[in-house]
Amino acid sequence: HPDLVAECVAAMQQAVKIPVTVKHRIGIDDLCSYDHLTQFVSKVRSVGCRTFIVHARIALLQALSPKQNREVPPLQYPLVYQLKQDFPDLEIIINGGISSLDEAQEHLQNVDGVMVGREAYHNPWLLRDVDSRFYDKPDSGLSRCQVLEAMIPYIECELAKGTYLGHITRHMLGLFHGQPGGRKFRRLFSEKAHRPGAGIELLHEAFTMMSAHDWQAQPAD
């Protein structure tokens, strides 16, 4: 429904002072042609939207579950590249199935930006080198354990405000993804962070457990 999306975007832009962006698939069900994609982008652009985050899969809402729609429809990156060529005035950001900074680097030859979703959630250490690799920032040199330790004061502050511990630690479960002890780390938070009264002592337990290893900062794959 391009007209409805455009109407919504226009209304949001009137209500806020920050840019309104749109994230969308390359198609949906039987509306999956490139012409339909360009018509959608043209219509939304006409009301002032300048940034489009494009997941390079169609969505088969009538045939697949939400989980299957994240994995089953084939990725079609060239369509997103073509969209950037046809709309050079727009900021086109690609999304879908990107799991390494090397892949991101390749996509940046064709589009303006890269959105990494599930991989960053499952393996947040992937993001360690983003600033130094893409933004010419100095390497922090922090190890995983140092990152964990640096989170403790923040979590203490949030707990004092009444924040539920699991709401924070669930985003840290993959910090030691692929590392010795990583499963124990994940299990510790998965089993205990949701319990009533779970507090900062769980972070100290995790830090002590993982500090038993001589962790050194490693570049993301």
Side-chain angles (χ1 to χ4, degrees):
H1 303 284
D3 292 333
L4 179 58
V5 175
E7 182 181 345
C8 291
V9 169
M12 286 186 275
Q13 289 184 140
Q14 292 175 5
V16 300
K17 296 181 179 180
I18 60 175
V20 177
T21 67
V22 172
K23 185 173 186 290
H24 60 94
R25 296 282 184 123
I26 56 174
I28 179 171
D29 293 328
D30 57 340
L31 302 174
C32 56
S33 70
Y34 185 70
D35 284 344
H36 182 267
L37 175 61
T38 57
Q39 290 170 17
F40 174 85
V41 172
S42 295
K43 175 62 69 171
V44 180
R45 179 181 66 169
S46 71
V47 297
C49 182
R50 288 293 175 267
T51 299
F52 292 78
I53 301 101
V54 188
H55 188 146
R57 287 186 173 96
I58 64 171
L60 299 173
L61 300 185
Q62 304 302 317
L64 301 175
S65 69
K67 181 179 186 299
Q68 290 172 321
N69 265 307
R70 291 194 293 268
E71 301 169 350
V72 174
L75 288 158
Q76 301 182 61
Y77 296 133
L79 288 185
V80 186
Y81 300 163
Q82 186 64 48
L83 201 62
K84 176 58 186 178
Q85 293 180 22
D86 293 339
F87 296 88
D89 58 310
L90 298 180
E91 182 180 36
I92 302 296
I93 299 172
I94 199 167
N95 171 246
I98 301 164
S99 59
S100 75
L101 298 189
D102 286 341
E103 292 176 51
Q105 185 79 64
E106 292 180 12
H107 287 302
L108 287 172
Q109 307 306 309
N110 299 283
V111 293
D112 301 300
V114 174
M115 175 181 281
V116 178
R118 281 175 293 152
E119 187 64 24
Y121 188 84
H122 295 306
N123 178 25
W125 195 248
L126 170 76
L127 302 178
R128 177 188 179 275
D129 292 334
V130 167
D131 286 349
S132 59
R133 182 164 180 173
F134 296 106
Y135 298 102
D136 296 321
K137 301 293 184 180
D139 188 335
S140 70
L142 293 176
S143 68
R144 287 175 171 84
C145 272
Q146 288 171 324
V147 169
L148 177 61
E149 185 177 28
M151 285 291 295
I152 292 177
Y154 167 77
I155 294 176
E156 286 179 323
C157 182
E158 287 300 310
L159 290 174
K161 296 176 183 177
T163 301
Y164 171 57
L165 179 62
H167 288 166
I168 302 174
T169 58
R170 68 180 181 181
H171 302 290
M172 299 168 55
L173 294 179
L175 180 58
F176 293 90
H177 175 77
Q179 302 296 307
R183 289 185 179 180
K184 290 192 298 182
F185 177 84
R186 183 182 182 91
R187 186 166 59 247
L188 176 68
F189 285 120
S190 296
E191 294 179 353
K192 295 184 178 182
H194 68 281
R195 295 178 181 176
I200 199 64
E201 69 282 348
L202 195 59
L203 271 295
H204 291 295
E205 180 181 350
F207 180 74
T208 299
M209 178 176 70
M210 301 315 292
S211 293
H213 303 273
D214 183 21
W215 294 109
Q216 298 295 326
Q218 300 179 16
D221 291 335

